Amino acid sequence: MDREQLNAALLAAGLPPESFQIPGTHTHDPLPTDFWFLRKGARGDWEVGACERGKYEVRERFNTEPDAAAWLYRTLTGQAPSGA
């Protein structure tokens, strides 16, 4: 699962669009107060976490985009991504 597939899967699962941000595929203007995110880290890894009241908190880091996307999907839906 890549970022675009994650975006589509989260929306298909019924998550509100403002509940997550995936740069390059799903962003907001203006930003909501609280949301989950997946982004490329400064070290070349993938970061997933939550932004609450403008403060980003990285909860996990992954070497690959598919691993990060799967973690965020499981965290937000409580289910494994299809095909996982």
Side-chain angles (χ1 to χ4, degrees), residues 8 26 39 53 65 68 74 76-77 82-83:
H26 186 84
R39 65 185 180 194
R53 296 180 206 89
E65 180 180 355
R74 279 190 307 275
L76 297 182
T77 66
S82 61

Side-chain angles (χ1 to χ4, degrees), residues 4 7 10 21-23 36 39 43 46 50-51 70 73 79:
E4 291 181 8
N7 178 53
L10 291 174
Q21 180 185 58
I22 306 168
W36 286 85
R39 65 185 180 194
R43 299 181 282 187
W46 290 90
C51 180
Y73 185 85
Q79 302 175 27

Side-chain angles (χ1 to χ4, degrees), residues 17-21 27-35 51 53-54:
E18 64 276 3
S19 67
F20 61 95
Q21 180 185 58
T27 57
H28 304 280
D29 187 22
L31 282 176
T33 305
D34 302 322
F35 57 91
C51 180
R53 296 180 206 89

Side-chain angles (χ1 to χ4, degrees), residues 59-81:
R59 304 274 173 95
E60 294 286 340
R61 294 179 192 274
F62 296 90
N63 291 327
T64 69
E65 180 180 355
D67 289 342
W71 184 92
L72 187 57
Y73 185 85
R74 279 190 307 275
T75 298
L76 297 182
T77 66
Q79 302 175 27

